[in-house]
Amino acid sequence: LTPGGNSGIFIRVPHHRPRTSVVGMEIQLLDDGTKTGTPTSRDTGAIYRVQGATKFVAKPAGEWNQFAVRCE
């Protein structure tokens, strides 16, 4: 990510629906590598606006982040 970057991976998005960002789920990836405390449902690793990650794990802007998503 670049400084201030905001991205993510969309999962379980219905086909042929308008506004997939509203009806699907997003795993958040955000430039929050310097944050401390308890992550919210809008921070990196969260299911956006549903469930926060257990800790801050994002690397600083410009470094490579990776994560795995498993859907059952």
Side-chain angles (χ1 to χ4, degrees), residues 28-58:
Q28 178 71 293
L29 181 57
L30 187 67
D31 175 23
D32 59 8
T34 60
K35 286 178 102 175
T36 59
T38 303
T40 70
S41 63
R42 296 174 185 253
D43 293 312
T44 293
I47 301 174
Y48 188 69
R49 296 179 63 189
V50 174
Q51 177 66 50
T54 57
K55 62 183 178 179
F56 285 105
V57 294

